[in-house]
């Protein structure tokens, strides 16, 4: 049998095929390359190469059979015509075998080229990402440096303060908070969490019972995604594209802006220093006294617009349900502004545990309650704030004992608040923290105590969770602390892709609840370990929930009258 001929194929240091020397510009080309799919194609080609070589082996065996018959001792007795036919058949088989091997060799080189191309693309893509990230950080630093000079900081603080028009001017009064209307959007001053969380959708859970809200009350949700009016500009088209485009670089921009502003203002380095500078500017600006204390009051059933949450006398049972309940504490669901919930759970054996639910920002401008943009800044800065003060006061009023485990669950500003509390040694000494769960909260700058299970849920497109200058992958890593990050734009689910271009949708509790569900279904042992340590504290034979709302006060903690008749919901 004749040997097969190797095709001449260009290797790394050899001249390339003429087609490979083309450089095409202009027109509409491929928008992007999926290196993983290129590698899959290379693997399939490798499979084809194997099949061709096996076919060539079979062809060679057939040649040997025919050629062996032609040279047998009985060949001389065959008719001359039969011998000629055998010789033709052998040449044909040789040609087929040689062709199969040539095609196998050519595909072998194609596989090498595809793998090489995928590697080069991945390397170039990584270099481009690092370059763009560096440029965004540098641009943020330049902007922050310009903003950080004293006159500009004072101007920004005054302008921001003027948007509120609801300072306390002393002790707060009862009733609904009267701060500026909550609006959607990103955080304030590069460090606030914004109030996109107000339009978060309630996520269903096992045994979940929704409660009615009077039509139109508190900005009732108006579309199939559960988001309120005003989200349309980011739901698709130019706005959605902008959101998807800038979201991956939010952490770099915030990081650069924070360091630039802090350096220019002479504050401690980083985003916390920048947030503190802006918070000081807001408090120093002309206007009423925002105070440093809080007025706390219990919310009775009549204090809700509609009926209070149906789950108030039931334990959550799962983290999914616990997270979804935070959604019921937003004004659009009928709760008074700045409402938090403290639930006492009597589990099997009458063992007592507690759950504290804390919602997020409800007014971007300064308000007469601490669930506003100013508190966002103070929390990120690590300054004393009135939101954590209110949560601690509510926990004390509820009667949580030092030996009874308490689970802290917070969304956005609420997530920062519960993480800030858990990171304070005085709080950890006073309470037995059974677990911390946050959704859409920038918490990378906090250090939680060892031994406390902590779960953070974040999405790349919500922007909010990365305004501390850290992506979800850069959150602190510890055996007890787990972060689940997710890119909505890469999801195959239509609802995720729609949320990827909508800040409020990406930041909503419903979206984070889906992230939690997916994380649990993945079977990841790190997620299972943290969830497995927190959830046993949730089942209840009996449960009782007390709702609290707070307002800013001049100083200290002032008791307030309940918003309904005596008795507890």
């Amino acid at each position: 049998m004749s040997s097969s001929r190797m095709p001449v194929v260009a290797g790394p240091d050899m001249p390339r095929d003429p087609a490979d020397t083309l450089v095409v510009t202009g027109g509409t080309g491929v928008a992007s390359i999926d290196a993983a799919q290129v590698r899959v194609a290379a693997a399939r080609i490798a499979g084809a190469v194997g099949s061709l070589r096996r076919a060539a082996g079979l062809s060679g065996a057939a040649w040997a059979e025919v050629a062996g018959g032609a040279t047998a001792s009985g060949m001389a007795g065959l008719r001359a015509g039969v011998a000629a036919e055998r010789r033709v058949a052998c040449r044909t088989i040789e040609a087929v075998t040689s062709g199969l091997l040539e095609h196998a060799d050519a595909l072998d080189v194609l596989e090498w080229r595809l793998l090489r191309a995928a590697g080069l693309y991945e390397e170039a893509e990584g270099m481009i990402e690092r370059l763009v990230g560096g440029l965004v950080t540098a641009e943020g630093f330049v902007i922050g440096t310009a903003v950080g000079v004293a006159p500009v900081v004072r101007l920004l603080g005054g302008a921001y303060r003027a948007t509120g028009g609801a300072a306390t001017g002393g002790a707060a009064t009862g009733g609904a908070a009267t701060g500026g209307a909550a609006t959607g959007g990103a955080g304030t001053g590069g460090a606030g969490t914004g109030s996109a969380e107000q339009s978060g959708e309630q996520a269903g859970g096992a045994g979940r019972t929704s409660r009615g809200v009077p039509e139109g009350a508190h900005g009732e949700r108006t579309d199939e995604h559960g988001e309120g009016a005003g989200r349309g500009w980011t739901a698709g088209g130019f706005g959605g594209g902008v959101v998807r485009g800038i979201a991956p670089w939010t952490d770099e921009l915030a990081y650069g802006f924070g360091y630039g502003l802090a350096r220019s203002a002479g504050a401690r380095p980083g985003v916390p220093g920048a947030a503190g500078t802006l918070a000081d500017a807001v408090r120093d600006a002309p206007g009423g006294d925002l105070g440093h204390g809080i007025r706390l009051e219990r919310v009775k059933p009549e204090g809700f617009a509609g009926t209070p949450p149906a789950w108030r006398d039931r334990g959550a049972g799962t983290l999914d349900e616990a997270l979804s309940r935070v959604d019921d504490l937003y004004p659009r669901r009928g709760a008074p502004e700045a409402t938090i919930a403290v639930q006492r759970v009597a589990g099997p054996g009458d063992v007592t545990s507690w759950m504290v639910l804390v919602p997020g920002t409800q007014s971007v401008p300064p308000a007469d309650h601490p669930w506003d943009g100013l508190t966002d800044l103070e929390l990120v800065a690590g300054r004393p704030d009135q939101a954590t003060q209110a949560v601690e006061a509510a926990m004390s009023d509820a009667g949580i004992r030092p030996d009874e485990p308490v689970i802290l669950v917070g969304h956005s500003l609420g997530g920062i608040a519960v993480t800030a509390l858990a990171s304070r040694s005085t709080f950890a000494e006073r309470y037995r923290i059974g677990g911390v769960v946050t959704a859409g909260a920038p918490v990378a700058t906090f250090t939680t105590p060892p031994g406390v299970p902590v779960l953070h849920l974040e999405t790349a497109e919500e922007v909010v969770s990365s305004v501390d200058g850290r992506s979800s992958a850069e959150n602190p890593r510890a055996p007890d602390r787990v972060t689940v990050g997710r890119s909505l734009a890469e999801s195959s689910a239509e609802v995720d892709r729609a949320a990827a271009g909508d800040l409020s949708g990406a930041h909503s509790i419903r979206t984070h609840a889906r992230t939690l569900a997916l994380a649990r279904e993945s079977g990841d042992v790190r997620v299972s370990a943290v969830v497995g340590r927190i959830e046993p504290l949730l089942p209840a034979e009996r449960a009782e929930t007390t709702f609290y709302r707070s307002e800013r006060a001049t100083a200290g903690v002032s008791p307030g009258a309940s918003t309904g008749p005596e008795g507890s919901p």
Side-chain angles (χ1 to χ4, degrees), residues 479-490:
D480 304 305
R481 191 171 182 179
V482 175
T483 299
V484 179
R486 189 160 73 102
S487 174
L488 302 175
E490 297 177 3

Side-chain angles (χ1 to χ4, degrees), residues 472-547:
S472 60
E474 296 169 314
N475 273 0
R477 301 181 184 185
D480 304 305
R481 191 171 182 179
V482 175
T483 299
V484 179
R486 189 160 73 102
S487 174
L488 302 175
E490 297 177 3
S491 171
S492 61
E494 183 179 349
V495 65
D496 287 337
R497 293 196 301 272
D502 173 12
L503 289 175
S504 61
H507 188 48
S508 71
I509 288 179
R510 184 175 76 169
T511 297
H512 288 297
R514 285 198 301 274
T515 298
L516 175 58
L518 290 169
R520 291 167 66 104
E521 292 169 5
S522 72
D524 188 290
V525 294
R526 294 162 295 182
V527 175
S528 300
V530 170
V531 171
R533 292 171 61 189
I534 300 175
E535 274 194 338
L537 302 175
L538 296 176
E541 295 178 354
R542 300 186 312 278
E544 179 183 7
T545 306
T546 305
F547 299 94

Side-chain angles (χ1 to χ4, degrees), residues 172-540:
T173 58
T178 57
T183 58
T188 305
T193 66
S195 63
E197 57 264 35
Q198 282 222 79
S199 54
E201 174 67 22
Q202 174 183 349
R208 180 139 181 86
T209 303
S210 62
R211 59 187 168 86
V213 179
E215 184 175 354
H218 301 288
E220 185 182 21
R221 293 165 290 176
T222 56
D223 62 53
E224 61 182 320
H225 297 293
E227 314 302 342
R231 65 180 285 279
W233 83 272
T234 59
F238 175 76
V242 170
V243 172
R244 282 184 286 268
I246 66 173
W249 313 108
T250 306
D251 55 328
E252 284 92 348
L253 181 62
Y255 185 88
F257 179 85
Y259 268 85
L261 193 153
R263 180 179 181 276
S264 187
R268 68 181 175 118
V271 172
T277 298
L278 293 173
D280 288 342
V282 174
R283 285 194 172 273
D284 293 341
D289 183 13
L290 291 169
H292 292 280
I294 57 106
R295 175 187 174 92
L296 187 72
E297 60 186 22
R298 292 191 177 193
V299 181
K300 304 308 175 185
E302 290 75 10
F304 289 84
T307 59
W311 46 260
R312 63 190 184 277
D313 57 355
R314 298 199 310 269
T318 66
L319 283 186
D320 310 68
E321 172 67 10
L323 178 61
S324 72
R325 290 181 175 188
V326 179
D327 201 37
D328 285 335
L329 302 180
Y330 283 102
R332 62 174 180 74
R333 298 290 291 158
E337 288 183 315
T339 294
I340 62 176
V342 180
Q343 184 176 72
R344 180 182 182 276
V345 175
D350 208 29
V351 176
T352 297
S353 62
W354 298 79
M355 182 173 65
V356 179
L357 306 178
V358 187
T361 314
Q362 289 157 42
S363 174
V364 172
D368 61 358
H369 61 75
W371 266 254
D372 62 4
L374 172 59
T375 298
D376 283 321
L377 292 170
E378 291 175 332
L379 281 168
V380 173
R383 299 282 186 84
D385 69 281
Q386 289 150 294
T388 56
Q389 189 179 1
V391 174
E392 279 200 90
M395 293 174 64
S396 177
D397 181 81
I400 302 178
R401 297 172 49 179
D403 61 333
E404 296 170 340
V406 56
I407 298 170
L408 307 173
V409 183
H411 176 230
S412 199
L413 179 153
I416 315 175
V418 298
T419 307
L421 283 170
S423 69
R424 297 173 186 170
S425 58
T426 53
F427 183 88
E429 291 169 0
R430 180 179 180 183
Y431 295 104
R432 179 184 165 191
I433 308 173
V436 178
V437 180
T438 73
V443 293
T445 57
F446 297 96
T447 302
T448 54
V452 174
V454 179
L455 178 65
H456 303 303
L457 305 170
E458 302 181 3
T459 67
E461 292 82 3
E462 69 181 337
V463 174
V464 173
S465 57
S466 57
V467 296
D468 55 7
R470 312 280 183 88
S471 66
S472 60
E474 296 169 314
N475 273 0
R477 301 181 184 185
D480 304 305
R481 191 171 182 179
V482 175
T483 299
V484 179
R486 189 160 73 102
S487 174
L488 302 175
E490 297 177 3
S491 171
S492 61
E494 183 179 349
V495 65
D496 287 337
R497 293 196 301 272
D502 173 12
L503 289 175
S504 61
H507 188 48
S508 71
I509 288 179
R510 184 175 76 169
T511 297
H512 288 297
R514 285 198 301 274
T515 298
L516 175 58
L518 290 169
R520 291 167 66 104
E521 292 169 5
S522 72
D524 188 290
V525 294
R526 294 162 295 182
V527 175
S528 300
V530 170
V531 171
R533 292 171 61 189
I534 300 175
E535 274 194 338
L537 302 175
L538 296 176

